Amino acid sequence: MQFLLAFVVAAPLLGAVAALLPAPPGLKGKNPDQAVLRHGVTVTGVVLAAALVLVAGFDHDHPSTMQATTDIRWIPALDVRIHLGTDGISLPLLVLTALLTFLCALYSYFKLPAGPSAKGFVALVLVLESGTLATFAVLDLMLFFLAFEMVLIPMYFLIARWGGEGRQPAAWKFVLYTLLGSVVMLLGLLLIGLKSGTFDMVALATDNGRGLTTSVQVIAVLAIGVGLAVKTPMWPLHSWLPDAHTAAPTVGSVLLAGVLLKMGTYGFVRILLPVAPDGMRTFAPYLAAFAVVGIVYGSLACLALARPGAKGDLKRLIAYSSVGHMGFVLLGIATMTPTGVNGALFANIAHGLITGLLFFLVGAVKDRYGTADLDTLSGATGAALYGRAPRLGGLLAFAAVASLGLPGLAGFWGEMLTLFGAFDPAEGLSRPAFLTFMSIGAFGTLLTAAYLLIVVRRVCMGDPRATPGGEAEGLSTGHGPGGLPQPVADVRGYEFAAWTPLAALTVLAGLWPAVLLGLTDPAVQKLLAGGKS
């Protein structure tokens, strides 16, 4: 187990180096691009298999205990250690990252985005996977920072070199926002390490802030929180996200929404809640206020994009929906209660599954019609996916109702537990204020349902004989006998393989939430109790 976690973190990095080397004789396939894409599928598949073995070997009776640990001295002068481990909080995120990266590699094998080279693309995806997995596995503040920053460069190049229209400004905006936030975060991490005498996250969590004065905790939470809030992203530090998602290739959007956004909220739970509880208690009401503003703002932005005549981009709409969904995660964290934090962690996983599926589907719609513009897709009578491509339309409708929090699907439990946590926040927090936040968050769920149902109606319903956007858009689908548009290609085999696991897990998590909550709850209880089970 000790070796297995280290392998899960390091294997993608080694695979990235191997991807840049010439393919061995006999493994080149039909062309070099096919060989390197097959290499990407193989490496991510092996990492996913290792992550599943890690789950099988995990002691599920003691999910609050750090398991599969590695602790090696690295920089003795600063007491920085290569310290790895996983518990019930990080294990689901490790598996989610391994799963989404494998599905993206599989999808790219058949549908490689236009760009410079397949070698560079595969290497960047593997470096991105390694950095994300390391963020969820490391237990040293300095290693956490290095892993947190490791994902910036590969994501920048994936957007800038393999993205669509406006990719260069979007990539620069992504890097500048996150780098500026990270500089402030580094200062906060150094403050905690130097004042407490250690960078070890387990020791700091066990100490539970007793070795830090309240003023140090407040400054640390402010500094670290800014860096984490940019990555989450929290309103009003979110403006890089819609541009990045709109310009990114499909798999870039899936990984950005599915795993990279989780790094910020994971940092709040793993570092700030246990290490600086007094500082978190000071800022919790403000964090909750920003969270609920983000919920409503994201929903209103989506409603504006969804209305006829707005020329709203479907990928941009899903990006704004992420601002709202991550607002629920931040609200749960701000309650500082086991119920709220468990809801936040559940909502994290649900968002990764559902929004990852949504970006896959929107990318498929854009490939088929040549555009993600809602007005063009809808036209006078709607794109009518139900009639033209019933499986694709059905999956899009399924992902939309899962995203709006339909009971029985994964999106429901995280939002419900978050609102329950806000109903009765931790001791020392203003209950009237959090009841207000709960009410605003509940109102946000109604707005979420409104814009997603509008999207389903406009994209999936209509006359299948009509051409989206009118006769002028006929070139996007082609015409058959009698001047009628040809049927749109329904779900292809490789798409079915890439999307089915996400849909199945969305149903499983919705019908059997105890699978996930049984892992997170003991670990959260221990975390909030200062390292005591």
Side-chain angles (χ1 to χ4, degrees), residues 160-246:
R161 304 300 297 275
W162 283 269
E165 185 179 352
R167 58 183 182 269
Q168 288 289 350
W172 275 111
K173 199 172 185 180
F174 163 74
V175 165
L176 290 176
Y177 263 76
T178 48
L179 274 180
L180 289 174
S182 297
V183 168
V184 181
M185 184 177 77
L186 176 60
L187 297 176
L189 294 173
L190 288 172
L191 177 65
I192 287 178
L194 295 175
K195 288 293 183 179
S196 62
T198 181
F199 289 100
D200 187 86
M201 290 158 67
V202 176
L204 288 167
T206 304
D207 187 62
N208 201 219
R210 287 182 284 271
L212 300 172
T213 64
T214 301
S215 58
V216 168
Q217 290 189 39
V218 168
I219 295 170
V221 168
L222 181 61
I224 298 170
V226 167
L228 297 175
V230 170
K231 186 64 71 74
T232 298
M234 180 186 76
W235 180 91
L237 304 174
H238 69 283
S239 60
W240 62 268
L241 184 71
D243 292 338
H245 270 308
T246 305

Side-chain angles (χ1 to χ4, degrees), residues 131-155:
T132 311
L133 290 168
T135 302
F136 299 138
V138 298
L139 297 173
D140 184 279
L141 290 180
M142 289 297 99
L143 280 184
F144 177 85
F145 177 78
L146 292 176
F148 197 84
E149 296 304 292
M150 182 177 168
V151 303
L152 296 186
I153 300 304
M155 182 51 73

Side-chain angles (χ1 to χ4, degrees), residues 99-100 103 254 352-353 356-357 360 398 498-507:
L99 174 64
L100 281 176
L103 296 180
V254 171
L353 295 172
L357 178 58
F360 268 134
F398 167 81
W499 303 342
T500 299
L502 300 179
L505 289 172
T506 298
V507 175

Side-chain angles (χ1 to χ4, degrees), residues 59-106:
D59 184 357
H60 292 264
D61 293 328
H62 301 90
S64 61
T65 304
M66 282 294 172
Q67 301 179 36
T69 55
T70 299
D71 193 359
I72 303 170
R73 295 182 71 185
W74 186 34
I75 307 177
L78 296 176
D79 194 29
V80 176
R81 312 177 72 85
I82 299 176
H83 192 182
L84 306 176
T86 185
D87 63 357
I89 293 173
S90 58
L91 185 64
L93 290 166
L94 287 168
V95 176
L96 177 68
T97 301
L99 174 64
L100 281 176
T101 312
F102 169 70
L103 296 180
C104 285
L106 181 64

